Amino acid sequence: MWFVIHARDVPGTLARRIASRPAHRDRLMALRDAGRLLLAGPMPAIEAEDPGPAGFVGSLIVAEFDSLDAAKAWAQADPYVADGVYAHVDVYPFIRALP
């Protein structure tokens, strides 16, 4: 089943986010390579493709997992969690209706 992972950043953690990004991205690429990633991306703090020092408020990931518990475990193992970038992570089942 598909799951939405919605994570919110700790304010002021842009430098940690940038430092942790390669490891975070590697995990996403592994999901993509396994055909289990629908979409993923950061949510900028301002309306801009490159928010610069304004940074980000969080991330959104939609990926396929065997269960809600598996999706939660994957999300909690993210480098952004370990490095204190994410303040909170919510995981919900998702039904892809369109397209």
Side-chain angles (χ1 to χ4, degrees):
M1 179 167 203
W2 294 105
F3 292 88
V4 170
I5 299 170
H6 177 233
R8 289 172 285 183
D9 286 13
V10 173
T13 57
L14 181 59
R16 279 187 259 169
R17 177 183 262 274
I18 292 168
S20 302
R21 187 174 186 271
H24 168 78
R25 195 172 189 291
D26 286 349
R27 296 179 81 237
L28 291 170
M29 298 306 277
L31 283 178
R32 183 203 66 184
D33 293 347
R36 296 173 43 209
L37 182 65
L38 183 61
L39 65 89
M43 297 180 300
I46 61 173
E47 188 177 347
E49 287 289 321
D50 180 357
F56 301 90
V57 297
S59 301
L60 182 73
I61 300 165
V62 179
E64 188 175 33
F65 294 93
D66 290 335
S67 67
L68 179 59
D69 286 341
K72 286 180 177 181
W74 186 91
Q76 288 302 313
D78 195 281
Y80 283 174
V81 172
D83 294 340
V85 175
Y86 288 159
H88 187 77
V89 179
D90 292 310
V91 182
Y92 302 101
F94 178 75
I95 297 171
R96 182 179 178 182
L98 294 170

